[in-house]
Amino acid sequence: MPIYCYYYPNMRSLILIAFLLPALLFSQLNSKKIDSVDYYIELVNFHKKNNNIKDCLICSKKALSIAIKLKDDHKIAICYANLDEIYTDLSNHNGNLKSSKVITKENNKSLSKLVNIFAICLISILSLLSIALYKNNIIRNRSNSLLIEKNKELQIAKEIAEKATKAKTEFLSTVSHELRTPLNAINGITHLLIVENPNKSQMEYLKSLQFSGNYLLAFINDILEINRIESKNIPIEKINFDLKLLLQNIQHSLKEIALENKNNFEIIIDETIPNNLIGDPTKLSQIFMNLINNSLKFTENGFVKVIATINTVEDNKITISFKVVDNGIGIPEDKQESIFDSFSQGSIEINRKYGGTGLGLAIVKKLIDLLGGTIYLNSKVGLGATFSFILPFEVSEEEIHTIEKQSFDEKVIHDKKILLVEDNKINQMITKKMLENKGMFCKIVDNGEDAVTLLKEKNDFDLVLMDVHLPGINGNIATQQIREFNSQIPIIALTAISLNENKEMLISYGMTDVITKPFEPELFYQMIAKYLTD
């Protein structure tokens, strides 16, 4: 007989099993078949209560088998009834299982469909993103290619513009430089004729010639200056100077121009402005000379005022407000924006009546920009013009010792021996004549090599006037070679100074000082006297 081992949480069922199994065993041992049917039927009922269909079916078949052997129709019927019930329950159970499987399968199918749909959507989205990225990449590549091409075009255009600007600058510089040489001859010969006591009618012609030469010189200087500024080949100095003295000197030098047009020229300086400032007095002088000249030129029977007042003070830094005011013809409103452009004037009629290069205000604006300021214009036609700007300075703690300009003593330069290194025949003649007029002796050589050789052989010259642009080695190299064996003799550069030259550069080669062609005779003599005295 099989042994059944179950765990049943119901205590009553456990007690029933405990009694049924021994009774079943006892009845089988004693061959009491009839009782075995009842025991199996009880087990069937027990298994039904516990929903154990499989064991229920086994017990029912056992009971039916025994009942058939005993030919007990009543119990056979009971067994068949139990079997029918068991088979029904089993069929329902299998149906439920099948339904559950079908539902699970259907659920799985639904889930699979959802997964497939999600996968299709994901693939579609990724595909669209890939297409979009691909298109964007193509567009970006095209844009990059266009940008590269545009950059190349801009670079080429920039290079062309730079070359054009450089060519223009070099051309104007060359023209202005080349014009200085014949202009030096014109001004020099005019001076020589004037000092030879010509008659009255000749003097008038010579004065006109002198005026024209000076006008042309101013024009050339303006062209050279504007080119120097635009090429940024212009250093900014930071030296001690006295602003009040600078303005007073400008007022004194422009006094005659003011009297010509019967103008009252006045300078008003704030007394609280320190005497000692650090800045660039040369460029500041250029600014004021241009602005005041303009005001005096375009004003008749009126006034021109220069006003300087303190704007801000912070530690040793100070900003000063400047105004140049006149009551002249004024500037039309439609011309005020372009008035600071190069070669710009109010109108053709103004240019014909008053003359000028149209570069003065352009130079002023660029110089003020270089010094860290901005210029403003306020003007009405017939009521005059006011140019105002603010510039920064530093206050110096050092005392400035000023030396008054004095006329030179001709005894200092008399009988002095001068070596003139110059290749232009006209300039040789003019310079030699000017030197001899003051009692000096002049020896001429026309190239740098001969000058070096002569100074090595003879050391009896008191001063050298050295042209910078010479055939063979130029004046700079010649000066360097002279300095190798003679560091004492004064060497003054004579040059129609070009765009790439400046005083500091020339002095770095060993020059003692520089005179710019065409030079003013008085300044020429003063500089020679200065270094012969030293």
Side-chain angles (χ1 to χ4, degrees):
M1 173 183 176
I3 298 173
Y4 298 90
C5 296
Y6 299 93
Y7 172 74
Y8 297 98
N10 192 316
M11 187 58 69
R12 184 170 173 276
S13 298
L14 289 172
I15 293 169
L16 179 61
I17 291 294
F19 281 101
L20 283 176
L21 288 176
L24 179 60
L25 181 61
F26 178 77
S27 65
Q28 286 183 346
L29 290 172
N30 289 284
S31 301
K32 292 182 179 180
K33 302 293 182 183
I34 189 166
D35 295 327
S36 297
V37 175
D38 292 334
Y39 296 146
Y40 277 114
I41 289 170
E42 287 297 327
L43 283 172
V44 168
N45 292 333
F46 168 73
H47 287 308
K48 277 184 182 179
K49 290 179 181 178
N50 289 282
N51 292 320
N52 197 342
I53 297 172
K54 185 177 178 183
D55 289 336
C56 206
L57 180 61
I58 292 169
C59 290
S60 293
K61 285 182 178 180
K62 285 284 187 180
L64 179 61
S65 176
I66 294 170
I68 290 171
K69 287 180 181 181
L70 294 175
K71 297 181 181 179
D72 188 337
D73 294 333
H74 176 68
K75 290 186 178 180
I76 288 170
I78 293 170
C79 289
Y80 275 119
N82 285 337
L83 284 170
D84 287 339
E85 187 177 351
I86 289 167
Y87 279 123
T88 302
D89 291 342
L90 185 62
S91 176
N92 291 335
H93 179 69
N94 288 337
N96 290 336
L97 286 174
K98 186 176 180 182
S99 299
S100 176
K101 287 180 181 179
V102 169
I103 291 168
T104 303
K105 190 173 181 181
E106 288 176 354
N107 288 337
N108 288 338
K109 284 182 179 179
S110 299
L111 181 62
S112 178
K113 284 181 181 179
L114 287 173
V115 170
N116 289 336
I117 291 168
F118 177 74
I120 291 168
C121 291
L122 185 61
I123 291 168
S124 300
I125 292 168
L126 290 173
S127 299
L128 290 172
L129 284 172
S130 299
I131 292 168
L133 287 171
Y134 176 72
K135 287 184 176 179
N136 285 339
N137 190 47
I138 291 172
I139 293 168
R140 188 172 64 251
N141 288 336
R142 285 178 184 170
S143 299
N144 288 340
S145 299
L146 287 171
L147 283 173
I148 290 168
E149 293 205 358
K150 288 293 180 187
N151 283 336
K152 285 181 180 177
E153 290 176 5
L154 288 172
Q155 186 65 30
I156 292 168
K158 180 176 174 251
E159 289 174 1
I160 291 170
E162 286 176 349
K163 286 179 181 177
T165 302
K166 186 178 179 183
K168 181 202 80 172
T169 301
E170 289 178 352
F171 171 74
L172 291 175
S173 177
T174 302
V175 168
S176 62
H177 178 268
E178 291 302 318
L179 284 173
R180 283 175 179 270
T181 301
L183 186 59
N184 184 56
I186 293 169
N187 287 0
I189 292 172
T190 303
H191 167 73
L192 292 176
L193 292 173
I194 289 174
V195 297
E196 288 182 357
N197 298 318
N199 60 46
K200 188 175 180 182
S201 62
Q202 290 174 330
M203 181 63 78
E204 289 179 4
Y205 296 140
L206 290 173
K207 289 289 184 182
S208 297
L209 183 60
Q210 189 178 52
F211 173 82
S212 298
N214 290 335
Y215 178 86
L216 185 56
L217 177 60
F219 184 87
I220 293 168
N221 287 339
D222 283 349
I223 291 175
L224 185 59
E225 186 64 25
I226 201 76
N227 278 314
R228 282 170 61 82
I229 296 170
E230 287 178 351
S231 69
K232 298 181 179 172
N233 188 23
I234 182 167
I236 298 174
E237 292 182 326
K238 285 192 175 182
I239 59 176
N240 293 351
F241 74 101
D242 186 334
L243 176 64
K244 296 173 184 176
L245 182 60
L246 181 143
L247 291 174
Q248 287 168 4
N249 287 337
I250 290 173
Q251 183 183 29
H252 180 73
S253 63
L254 296 176
K255 184 187 262 185
E256 290 185 9
I257 298 175
L259 292 173
E260 282 180 12
N261 283 350
K262 299 177 182 178
N263 290 318
N264 180 27
F265 179 23
E266 185 180 5
I267 290 182
I268 304 169
I269 305 173
D270 187 345
E271 292 298 327
T272 60
I273 293 176
N275 289 330
N276 307 331
L277 297 176
I278 298 175
D280 194 327
T282 303
K283 292 179 181 58
L284 195 59
S285 295
Q286 285 179 278
I287 291 167
F288 281 115
M289 289 293 285
N290 276 295
L291 289 176
I292 297 168
N293 258 318
N294 264 6
S295 291
L296 291 173
K297 182 167 68 172
F298 295 114
T299 304
E300 293 181 5
N301 299 310
F303 66 83
V304 174
K305 293 180 182 179
V306 177
I307 304 169
T309 56
I310 289 180
N311 186 55
T312 62
V313 178
E314 185 178 350
D315 297 330
N316 67 328
K317 297 184 183 299
I318 185 172
T319 61
I320 300 176
S321 173
F322 298 101
K323 289 183 180 180
V324 178
V325 186
D326 68 65
N327 63 341
I329 64 172
I331 300 168
E333 191 172 347
D334 61 333
K335 300 292 182 182
Q336 291 182 17
E337 288 186 7
S338 62
I339 200 70
F340 295 106
D341 296 340
S342 298
F343 304 104
S344 174
Q345 287 189 322
S347 66
I348 296 173
E349 291 76 16
I350 287 175
N351 178 262
R352 287 174 179 170
K353 182 177 179 180
Y354 296 97
T357 63
L359 290 171
L361 290 178
I363 292 171
V364 165
K365 184 179 185 304
K366 291 180 186 296
L367 288 176
I368 289 174
D369 290 343
L370 277 175
L371 296 177
T374 305
I375 189 166
Y376 300 96
L377 168 63
N378 183 17
S379 179
K380 288 185 179 180
V381 175
L383 298 178
T386 299
F387 292 90
S388 56
F389 56 96
I390 297 173
L391 291 179
F393 299 93
E394 291 180 22
V395 179
S396 174
E397 295 179 358
E398 297 180 12
E399 193 69 27
I400 299 173
H401 300 286
T402 58
I403 301 174
E404 293 183 4
K405 292 183 179 180
Q406 295 179 353
S407 59
F408 65 93
D409 184 359
E410 293 193 11
K411 292 179 181 179
V412 172
I413 63 177
H414 193 73
D415 291 334
K416 299 297 182 182
K417 194 171 183 180
I418 311 298
L419 175 62
L420 174 62
V421 188
E422 170 68 74
D423 63 315
N424 185 281
K425 299 300 180 183
I426 297 176
N427 286 339
Q428 286 177 2
M429 179 268 292
I430 294 169
T431 308
K432 183 179 180 181
K433 184 66 175 174
M434 289 177 66
L435 293 171
E436 290 176 347
N437 282 349
K438 295 297 181 182
M440 291 176 273
F441 298 99
C442 178
K443 170 70 176 175
I444 298 173
V445 293
D446 60 4
N447 62 80
E449 291 90 343
D450 289 349
V452 175
T453 303
L454 183 60
L455 286 171
K456 274 185 180 179
E457 295 174 353
K458 286 187 175 185
N459 196 18
D460 59 345
F461 291 99
D462 298 296
L463 183 141
V464 178
L465 295 174
M466 179 75 72
D467 185 27
V468 173
H469 301 279
L470 294 168
I473 63 171
N474 63 31
N476 295 328
I477 304 303
T479 301
Q480 278 185 323
Q481 293 181 9
I482 293 166
R483 289 304 181 205
E484 291 176 3
F485 59 84
N486 190 332
S487 60
Q488 300 300 318
I489 189 168
I491 302 176
I492 299 175
L494 293 177
T495 178
I497 201 161
S498 66
L499 183 65
N500 297 318
E501 294 175 352
N502 57 60
K503 184 176 179 179
E504 291 74 19
M505 184 269 285
L506 294 173
I507 288 175
S508 70
Y509 285 99
M511 302 288 191
T512 308
D513 212 325
V514 180
I515 296 177
T516 304
K517 297 178 185 176
F519 43 79
E520 294 181 25
E522 288 304 312
L523 293 177
F524 175 68
Y525 292 133
Q526 284 175 13
M527 185 172 289
I528 292 174
K530 173 184 174 183
Y531 290 108
L532 288 178
T533 303
D534 294 340

